[in-house]
């Protein structure tokens, strides 16, 4: 279900009505969960199995983690293997149950038909890890169970094809006859091997809960339904913002209080998001598709404009989605975090990442970069950790070399310009506009890899931009005007004209214009780019 | 990656910060009220004002051009201009005139035969009862308190596919006019979102008007697609890239070309069916009680009568010459049952005599001379005359 469809409009009216009726009862949280599962299951009901599984596991992992002693126990393993000497009885019971299940699943994996073997094997590994964590009564081991489980799901559904494909290509190159079986062959009951929509988003959100609890930053959530609602909260389920448990879970403790101001604010956010997606991103996507689907057919100006068009398309598409998500949540009385803050006005690459997909970049900062060591272990290691973090960030976006190169480019960009950005000359003497232009051009250059259908295509585009002839790019004038209009608006917003843009008359006129424009120009259709991640 | 330390700002102040740094257009309650009211007025008034500034083609022989077959807003406007004594001739491409020019249609020849009675061609190309019902329901509201001559084409019962009652997915014309949810058309597999979009379009004049603009001025495309349209050659050229879309809106609704190569006695298509090599055919007639199209036609008649119209139905004449001999009895049986249904509903119906074989272009469409003969026969038909004089 997409936000910019009539179906969603009806769905949301029903959800909002239900919520306002039920919020005086305890049923409002189950209602939100039901709505979220309907929203998610609309794409494919089988996806629900995965999200329920992932939610349940993290819920119980934290429950078990909570029963662990603060410091590792000194009771001998021998005693424990006999089911004695546990710090907490929950763990002794879990140990016995999961040890039995581990054995049963191992037997099933050996005896079952080939088609079910991977499923039983997966179950066996999971049960083994849970049994081990129960046996050790260690918070850290429980954390590893959660991490391994979530990352395995991501690895299988998102990256298996990529890695197996590359591995088999390498085997072929060395003329080895052995081949790793394709990922789809591991699916039980001949289910389709599909990438579940938004898996990267809800997996990260769920993982942040486990990690934050492990670190002692948040309390354990006792209510499963509330926790499941946090993981699957429909406005931000499929494309973020990736919320932290510390921000969103407390909002589910009490029924939301929706004021008329919340409704007005939510509608404002939704309108801007809808405009970005339907009026701008969808339009730009046609030109971008024309250029990037066959770059060899185009010359320098078309490729250059196609790249700029993609930069704006992905911004409008993704920030439009998060604006709508925040608007929808706000209309229900919930507040989601800011995810985009005029990224193309950034004056340095560091600044760009503080403005672009903020919820993801802060996630990587808090759960990857800082745990790796951050800037605590000297500049060389800091650069190395930055590099690792950005490459992982690239890989998070998709299982392809183009995404890895995109992440690597940003890593090098950050590493090479970090000191420059902090210099007196750059900060105070270089004109702001030049800095913005430099950042925008670098980001656009990196977008070429992000959008290109292959690395070869990306090289064709880059080569042709610099060496191709100058012919008519045939970009619609209307498109150029729209891009120019938004760019001018953003710059005016940062100038002395801001009070004018923020005046009531201007905002009301702009909103009226957007509503009328949407009715006249909307062309419907178009999934969100970030759904694939 | 944001490597700056995260500050735990207090929610309200953080929100305030967001408002300043992110250029969102945040409106308060009052501003929203004004924005909604003003956009509502603009959106409601645009189609109304448009009818004042965009002239409508006139003439008794005017029919919705083939290219504008899906411009239902124009159809509504056209039928809205009917005089009180005008007789609306409603139906599918048989009424519209598939092989003939505007001066070769049934309504044209009826006007010739009966000069006192202005017959208006209110047919649309590509329709069938399920779509015709939707057309009259949503866009034919102005067809009321008048005489209506409704054509019933039995071709739509000639097979489960024509009846749209098969379950295999089918592509067909005028999907936005057929019932989207009830009754269920099994061969129509649009997703729920598309169906809802159609329902909204059929109820919101502004969306119908936008559809009119697309049809009349932008080659049936939305404005965005029009600016990106290619010329179909290789390497592709993009003719509209630098054109001003507003200049496309010439305020002149396209009319049919008087030299349409596909229609009229001089066209390559305007030939008797027997000379096209079709040969006789066997039809898999659908029983009326099982037929989606026939049920829809019955609902259509009820709707027309409910709008206080004086209804007369013309049944066919279906081209029985094209029918294989073993199929004739089934057809006669079907026609009998259809006629019985008309009788049960007390709806006057004329079952005209079969036209000569050479006057049919296919199974149901007469050629120019066929329409002329049909009009002549109708003009002399006592029941037709008594209906006219009622």
């Amino acid at each position: 279900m997409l936000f910019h469809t009539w179906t969603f409009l009806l769905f949301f009216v029903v959800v909002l009505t239900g919520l306002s009726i039920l919020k005086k009862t305890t049923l409002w949280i189950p209602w939100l969960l039901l709505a979220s599962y309907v929203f998610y299951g609309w794409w494919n009901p089988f996806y629900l199995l995965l999200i329920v599984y992932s939610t349940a596991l993290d819920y119980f992992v934290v429950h078990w983690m909570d029963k662990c002693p603060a410091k590792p126990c000194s009771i001998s393993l021998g005693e424990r293997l006999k089911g004695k000497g546990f710090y907490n009885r929950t763990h002794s019971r879990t140990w016995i149950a999961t040890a039995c299940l581990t054995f049963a699943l191992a037997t099933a994996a050996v005896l079952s038909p080939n088609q079910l073997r991977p499923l039983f094997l997966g179950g066996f590994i999971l049960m083994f890890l849970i049994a081990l964590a129960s046996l050790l009564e260690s918070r850290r081991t429980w954390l590893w169970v959660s991490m391994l489980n979530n990352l395995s799901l991501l690895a299988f559904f998102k990256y298996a094809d990529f890695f197996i494909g590359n591995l088999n290509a390498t085997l072929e190159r060395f003329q080895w006859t052995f081949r790793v079986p394709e990922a789809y062959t591991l699916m039980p009951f001949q289910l389709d091997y599909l990438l579940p929509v938004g898996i990267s988003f809800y997996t990260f959100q769920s993982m942040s809960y486990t990690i934050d609890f492990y670190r002692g930053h948040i309390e354990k959530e006792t209510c499963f339904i509330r926790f499941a609602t946090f993981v699957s909260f429909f406005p931000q389920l499929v494309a973020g913002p990736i919320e932290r448990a510390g921000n969103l879970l407390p909002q589910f403790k009490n029924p939301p209080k929706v004021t008329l101001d919340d409704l007005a604010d939510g509608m404002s956010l939704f309108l801007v998001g809808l405009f970005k997606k339907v009026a701008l991103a969808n339009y730009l996507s046609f030109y971008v598709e024309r250029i990037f689907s066959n770059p060899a057919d185009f010359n320098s100006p078309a490729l250059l404009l196609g790249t700029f068009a993609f930069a704006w398309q992905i911004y409008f598409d993704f920030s439009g989605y998060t604006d709508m998500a925040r608007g929808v949540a706000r209309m229900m009385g919930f507040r989601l975090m800011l995810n985009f803050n005029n990224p193309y006005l950034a004056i340095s690459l560091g600044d760009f990442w503080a403005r672009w997909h903020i919820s993801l970049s802060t996630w990587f900062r808090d759960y990857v970069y800082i745990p790796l060591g951050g800037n605590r272990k000297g500049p060389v290691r800091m650069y190395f950790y930055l590099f690792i973090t950005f490459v992982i960030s690239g890989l998070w976006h998709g299982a392809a070399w183009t995404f890895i190169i995109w992440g690597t480019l940003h890593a090098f960009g950050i590493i090479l310009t970090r000191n420059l950005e902090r210099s007196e000359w750059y900060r105070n003497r270089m004109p702001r506009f030049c800095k913005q232009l430099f950042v925008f051009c670098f980001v656009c250059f990196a977008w070429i890899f992000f959008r290109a259908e292959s690395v070869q295509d990306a090289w064709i585009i880059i080569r042709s931009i610099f060496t191709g002839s100058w012919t008519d790019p045939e970009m619609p004038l209307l498109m150029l005007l729209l891009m120019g209009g938004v760019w001018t608006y953003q710059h005016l917003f940062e100038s002395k004209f801001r009070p004018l843009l923020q005046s009531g008359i201007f905002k009301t006129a702009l909103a009226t214009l957007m509503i009328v424009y949407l009715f006249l120009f909307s062309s419907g259709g178009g999934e969100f780019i970030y759904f694939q991640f | 990656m944001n490597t700056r330390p995260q500050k735990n700002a207090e929610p309200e102040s953080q929100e305030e910060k967001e408002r300043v740094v992110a250029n969102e257009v945040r409106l308060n309650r009052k501003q929203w009220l004004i924005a909604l009211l003003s956009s509502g007025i603009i959106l409601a008034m645009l189609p109304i004002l448009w009818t004042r500034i965009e002239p409508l083609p006139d003439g008794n022989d005017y029919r919705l051009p083939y290219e504008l077959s899906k411009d239902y807003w124009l159809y509504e406007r056209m039928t809205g201009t009917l005089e009180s004594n005008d007789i609306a001739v409603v139906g599918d491409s048989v009424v519209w005139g598939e092989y003939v020019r505007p001066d070769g249609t049934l309504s044209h020849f009826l006007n010739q035969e009966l000069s006192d009675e202005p017959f208006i061609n209110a047919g649309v190309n590509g329709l069938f009862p399920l779509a015709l019902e939707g057309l009259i329901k949503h866009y034919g509201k102005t067809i009321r308190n008048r005489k209506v001559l409704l054509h019933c084409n039995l071709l739509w019962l000639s097979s489960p596919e024509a009846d749209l009652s098969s379950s295999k997915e089918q592509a067909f014309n005028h999907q936005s006019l057929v019932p989207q949810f009830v009754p269920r058309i099994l061969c129509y597999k649009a997703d729920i979102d598309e169906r809802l979009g159609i329902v909204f379009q059929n109820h919101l004049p502004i969306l119908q008007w936008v559809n009119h603009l697309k049809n009349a001025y932008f080659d049936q495309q939305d404005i965005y697609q029009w600016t990106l349209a290619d010329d179909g050659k290789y390497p592709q050229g993009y003719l509209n890239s630098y054109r001003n879309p507003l200049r496309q809106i010439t305020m002149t609704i396209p009319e049919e070309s008087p030299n349409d190569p596909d229609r009229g006695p001089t066209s390559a298509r305007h030939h008797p069916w027997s000379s096209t090599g079709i040969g006789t055919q066997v039809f898999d007639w659908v029983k009326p009680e099982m037929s989606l199209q026939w049920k829809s036609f019955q609902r259509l008649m009820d709707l027309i009568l409910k709008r206080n119209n004086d209804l007369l139905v013309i049944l066919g004449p279906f081209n029985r010459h094209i029918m294989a001999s073993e199929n004739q009895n089934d057809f006669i049986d079907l026609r009998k049952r259809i006629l019985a249904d008309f009788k049960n509903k007390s709806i006057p119906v004329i079952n005209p005599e079969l036209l000569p074989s050479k006057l049919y272009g296919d199974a149901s469409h007469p050629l120019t001379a066929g329409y002329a003969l049909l009009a002549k026969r109708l003009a002399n038909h006592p029941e037709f005359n008594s209906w006219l004089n009622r």
Side-chain angles (χ1 to χ4, degrees):
Chain A
M1 205 183 296
L2 303 170
F3 283 157
H4 59 289
T5 58
W6 296 109
T7 315
F8 179 77
L9 181 72
L10 287 186
F11 166 82
F12 187 57
V13 168
V14 172
V15 172
L16 206 57
T17 312
L19 189 65
S20 57
I21 294 168
L22 295 172
K23 70 182 180 186
K24 284 181 182 161
T25 70
T26 51
L27 293 174
W28 68 274
I29 266 281
W31 173 251
L32 268 187
L33 179 63
L34 177 73
S36 299
Y37 281 172
V38 168
F39 178 87
Y40 192 59
W42 201 262
W43 274 282
N44 186 340
F46 284 112
Y47 291 166
L48 284 173
L49 293 175
L50 211 59
I51 196 168
V52 170
Y53 163 75
S54 183
T55 305
L57 195 96
D58 279 339
Y59 175 80
F60 286 110
V61 161
V62 166
H63 177 76
W64 285 318
M65 202 189 280
D66 191 42
K67 305 280 181 198
C68 291
K71 288 178 184 172
C73 281
S74 54
I75 305 164
S76 75
L77 266 180
E79 283 291 300
R80 287 181 182 220
L81 284 168
K82 293 175 197 162
K84 294 172 187 169
F86 277 85
Y87 173 79
N88 192 291
R89 280 182 67 190
T90 310
H91 283 134
S92 64
R93 286 176 190 161
T94 311
W95 150 244
I96 292 166
T98 49
C100 294
L101 271 171
T102 306
F103 180 72
L105 285 164
T107 315
V110 174
L111 300 176
S112 63
N114 278 350
Q115 257 226 313
L116 291 177
R117 202 164 283 168
L119 183 72
F120 285 125
L121 198 63
F124 160 75
I125 295 169
L126 178 70
M127 281 306 138
F128 175 76
L129 286 170
I130 293 177
L132 188 69
S134 313
L135 186 69
L136 298 175
E137 285 193 297
S138 145
R139 289 168 68 87
R140 185 179 285 260
T141 317
W142 281 117
L143 180 68
W144 275 107
V145 172
S146 168
M147 296 294 104
L148 284 172
N149 177 65
N150 281 306
L151 295 175
S152 305
L153 285 180
L154 260 185
F156 178 69
F157 284 102
K158 195 165 170 178
Y159 302 105
D161 251 356
F162 172 67
F163 285 115
I164 292 171
N166 278 285
L167 194 62
N168 283 340
T170 313
L171 291 172
E172 197 177 344
R173 181 165 292 179
F174 288 104
Q175 296 181 335
W176 289 4
T177 51
F178 172 74
R179 294 285 179 276
V180 180
E182 299 284 342
Y184 74 89
T185 60
L186 304 177
M187 290 295 286
F189 311 114
Q190 292 180 322
L191 288 172
D192 288 336
Y193 176 65
L194 298 168
L195 174 65
V197 175
I199 188 170
S200 310
F201 289 92
Y202 70 74
T203 308
F204 270 39
Q205 186 155 313
S206 191
M207 271 161 67
S208 78
Y209 166 74
T210 324
I211 301 170
D212 282 352
F213 179 79
Y214 171 77
R215 289 175 176 174
H217 293 173
I218 54 166
E219 296 285 311
K220 180 182 80 171
E221 176 51 63
T222 49
C223 172
F224 177 76
I225 292 177
R226 193 177 294 130
F227 176 67
T229 310
F230 158 71
V231 176
S232 63
F233 187 45
F234 73 88
Q236 42 85 244
L237 170 61
V238 288
I242 303 166
E243 279 293 339
R244 303 294 177 85
N247 176 42
L248 195 54
L249 259 176
Q251 297 188 51
F252 294 140
K253 296 272 185 206
N254 296 306
K257 285 178 188 151
V258 186
T259 62
L260 283 174
D261 287 334
D262 284 328
L263 275 177
D265 238 13
M267 282 166 66
S268 304
L269 282 164
F270 193 86
L271 175 66
V272 174
L274 191 67
F275 187 80
K276 282 180 181 172
K277 170 64 186 165
V278 176
L280 303 173
N282 283 0
Y283 186 29
L284 290 167
S285 71
F286 293 122
Y287 188 73
V288 172
E289 177 63 26
R290 183 202 288 176
I291 304 293
F292 279 82
S293 61
N294 208 352
D297 279 358
F298 295 93
N299 285 315
S300 193
L303 293 166
L304 208 55
L305 281 175
T307 304
F308 289 144
F310 177 67
W312 285 106
Q313 185 208 341
I314 192 166
Y315 168 64
F316 291 139
D317 190 279
F318 193 17
S319 75
Y321 183 89
T322 46
D323 283 344
M324 284 191 269
R326 294 176 69 219
V328 166
R330 190 60 177 264
M331 281 186 260
M332 293 190 290
F334 304 101
R335 285 159 197 243
L336 302 181
M337 70 181 290
L338 184 74
N339 212 17
F340 288 88
N341 181 12
N342 298 333
Y344 294 146
L345 295 184
I347 52 168
S348 66
L349 282 177
D351 188 26
F352 174 80
W353 280 104
R355 291 163 175 261
W356 179 273
H357 203 173
I358 300 165
S359 64
L360 181 74
S361 54
T362 51
W363 197 100
F364 275 114
R365 181 197 63 195
D366 294 345
Y367 301 116
V368 179
Y369 174 70
I370 291 174
L372 278 174
N375 57 6
R376 302 186 303 272
K377 297 183 180 175
V380 177
R381 283 200 175 188
M382 180 191 75
Y383 287 132
F384 178 66
Y385 298 146
L386 274 174
F387 182 83
I388 295 285
T389 310
F390 273 99
V391 173
I392 294 174
S393 160
L395 199 58
W396 178 90
H397 283 85
W401 286 108
T402 48
F403 292 113
I404 296 172
I405 295 174
W406 173 77
T408 311
L409 275 176
H410 271 281
F412 279 122
I414 285 273
I415 290 166
L416 294 173
T417 60
R418 193 177 155 88
N419 282 336
L420 175 74
E421 284 169 3
R422 290 168 180 221
S423 68
E424 161 70 17
W425 174 80
Y426 188 86
R427 278 193 299 168
N428 299 328
R429 293 198 190 166
M430 193 169 173
R432 187 178 179 81
F433 180 75
C434 292
K435 290 189 268 193
Q436 285 173 335
L437 196 66
F438 160 72
V439 174
F440 182 67
C441 289
F442 178 83
V443 169
C444 284
F445 178 74
W447 283 138
I448 294 174
F449 286 92
F450 193 96
R451 178 58 180 82
E453 283 165 18
S454 64
V455 178
Q456 287 80 358
D457 271 7
W459 286 122
I460 288 172
I461 293 167
I462 293 165
R463 201 175 52 234
S464 301
I465 282 176
F466 292 106
T467 60
S469 57
W470 283 75
T471 52
D472 184 359
E474 298 184 296
M475 181 186 230
L477 206 59
L478 179 64
M479 201 177 272
L480 277 170
L481 284 173
L482 283 171
M483 280 203 301
V486 174
W487 189 76
T488 310
Y489 176 85
Q490 292 204 331
H491 277 277
L492 285 178
F493 203 84
E494 300 257 310
S495 72
K496 62 181 179 184
F497 294 104
R498 179 184 286 183
L500 175 73
L501 301 185
Q502 283 190 312
S503 67
I505 294 174
F506 185 85
K507 285 195 293 185
T508 312
L510 196 60
T512 308
L513 204 67
M514 282 196 280
I515 295 170
V516 173
Y517 190 96
L518 282 169
F519 271 93
L520 303 189
F521 287 79
S522 64
S523 53
E527 283 232 342
F528 290 89
I529 295 176
Y530 262 67
F531 278 16
Q532 61 186 296
F533 309 137
Chain B
M1 208 64 40
N2 179 13
T3 52
R4 295 169 187 176
Q6 195 180 19
K7 286 175 188 166
N8 288 325
E10 206 240 335
E12 279 311 308
S13 61
Q14 189 178 331
E15 188 179 315
E16 203 51 48
K17 189 180 148 207
E18 279 178 25
R19 279 171 188 273
V20 178
V21 294
N23 55 11
E24 288 154 346
V25 185
R26 302 277 190 113
L27 274 65
N28 60 31
R29 280 180 278 174
K30 196 174 145 195
Q31 288 161 349
W32 255 116
L33 200 67
I34 296 168
L36 286 176
L37 268 175
S38 45
S39 53
I41 290 167
I42 293 169
L43 294 173
M45 292 306 291
L46 263 174
I48 296 168
L49 290 174
W50 202 259
T51 59
R52 305 270 167 97
I53 54 172
E54 184 187 59
L56 200 62
D58 54 7
N60 275 356
D61 285 339
Y62 181 75
R63 63 181 182 182
L64 215 58
Y66 176 77
E67 289 75 18
L68 303 185
S69 295
K70 289 180 181 166
D71 189 349
Y72 310 125
W73 186 78
L74 183 61
Y75 181 85
E76 186 168 27
R77 237 185 111 187
M78 189 191 93
T79 52
T81 58
L82 294 183
E83 303 282 338
S84 60
N85 63 333
D86 283 347
I87 300 170
V89 187
V90 176
D92 57 19
S93 50
V94 171
V95 166
W96 186 81
E98 171 63 21
Y99 296 108
V100 301
R101 292 202 177 138
D103 59 357
T105 61
L106 179 63
S107 53
H108 172 83
F109 289 115
L110 283 171
N111 281 328
Q112 266 192 353
E113 292 291 332
L114 305 151
S115 51
D116 295 343
E117 312 287 348
F119 289 87
I120 305 296
N121 188 342
V124 174
N125 194 290
L127 286 182
F128 43 88
L130 280 158
L132 187 55
E133 183 195 359
L135 181 78
I136 299 301
K137 187 175 173 185
H138 301 296
Y139 303 95
K141 288 176 193 141
T142 50
I143 300 178
R144 56 176 71 235
N145 306 320
R146 67 175 67 252
K147 287 189 189 302
V148 174
L149 191 60
L150 178 65
H151 180 255
C152 178
N153 188 355
L154 292 182
L155 178 76
W156 303 112
L157 278 76
S158 64
S159 69
E161 287 74 30
D163 188 52
L164 300 184
S165 50
S166 68
S167 56
K168 194 179 160 196
E169 184 169 9
Q170 257 179 271
F172 53 87
N173 261 328
H174 298 286
Q175 296 196 336
S176 55
L177 291 177
V178 302
Q180 298 299 313
F181 296 102
V182 182
R184 206 167 155 218
I185 302 169
L186 291 174
C187 64
Y188 177 46
K189 309 279 186 193
D191 64 32
I192 190 164
D193 205 57
E194 203 178 329
R195 290 168 195 257
L196 277 174
I198 289 168
V199 170
F200 278 102
Q201 178 162 326
N202 286 336
H203 288 89
L204 289 176
I206 182 68
L207 296 180
Q208 296 157 14
W209 174 72
V210 170
N211 186 47
H212 162 67
L213 292 187
K214 287 181 198 173
N215 278 283
Y217 303 111
F218 294 98
D219 308 329
Q220 290 91 47
Q221 302 168 87
D222 65 47
I223 296 170
Y224 281 173
Q225 285 165 341
W226 179 84
T227 64
L228 291 149
D230 64 60
D231 56 8
K233 295 175 188 164
Y234 187 83
Q236 287 163 329
Y238 301 93
L239 304 171
N240 301 332
S241 297
Y242 304 125
R243 283 194 190 156
N244 177 1
L246 293 177
R247 293 190 72 178
Q248 280 297 111
I249 305 172
T250 55
M251 290 294 172
T252 309
I253 296 169
E255 291 192 50
E256 272 186 79
S257 158
N259 304 315
D260 185 347
D262 289 332
R263 290 178 181 86
T266 54
S267 81
R269 296 171 70 224
H270 194 277
H271 289 297
W273 68 275
S274 49
S275 66
T276 58
I278 301 174
T280 55
Q281 292 175 34
V282 176
F283 296 99
D284 182 13
W285 296 104
V286 178
K287 289 177 182 166
E289 61 274 18
M290 306 294 285
S291 164
L292 278 180
Q293 302 274 27
W294 176 239
K295 282 178 192 160
S296 173
F297 195 84
Q298 287 178 307
R299 288 194 301 272
L300 172 66
M301 290 191 295
D302 292 341
L303 179 68
I304 291 172
L305 289 171
K306 204 173 149 191
R307 288 180 181 163
N308 205 25
N309 291 299
D310 187 1
L311 176 66
L312 176 71
V313 177
I314 303 175
L315 187 61
F318 190 80
N319 179 8
R320 280 172 59 192
H321 309 287
I322 205 171
M323 219 180 285
S325 54
E326 67 268 27
N327 214 208
Q328 297 275 351
N329 287 341
D330 289 346
F331 176 73
I332 292 166
D333 184 45
L334 172 88
R335 201 174 55 182
K336 250 186 216 166
R337 292 163 79 171
I338 295 278
L339 285 167
D341 278 351
F342 280 120
K343 200 174 174 186
N344 288 341
K345 281 183 165 276
S346 307
I347 291 171
V349 58
I350 293 177
N351 180 18
E353 202 181 319
L354 182 66
L355 300 172
S357 176
K358 63 180 182 183
L359 299 187
Y360 284 102
D362 57 27
S364 63
H365 297 99
L367 300 173
T368 307
Y371 282 117
L373 181 61
L374 178 61
K376 200 180 206 58
R377 285 176 179 173
L378 284 174
N380 294 323
H381 201 286
E383 200 165 339
F384 188 76
N385 279 298
S386 75
W387 175 71
L388 280 179
N389 298 325
R390 230 170 18 202

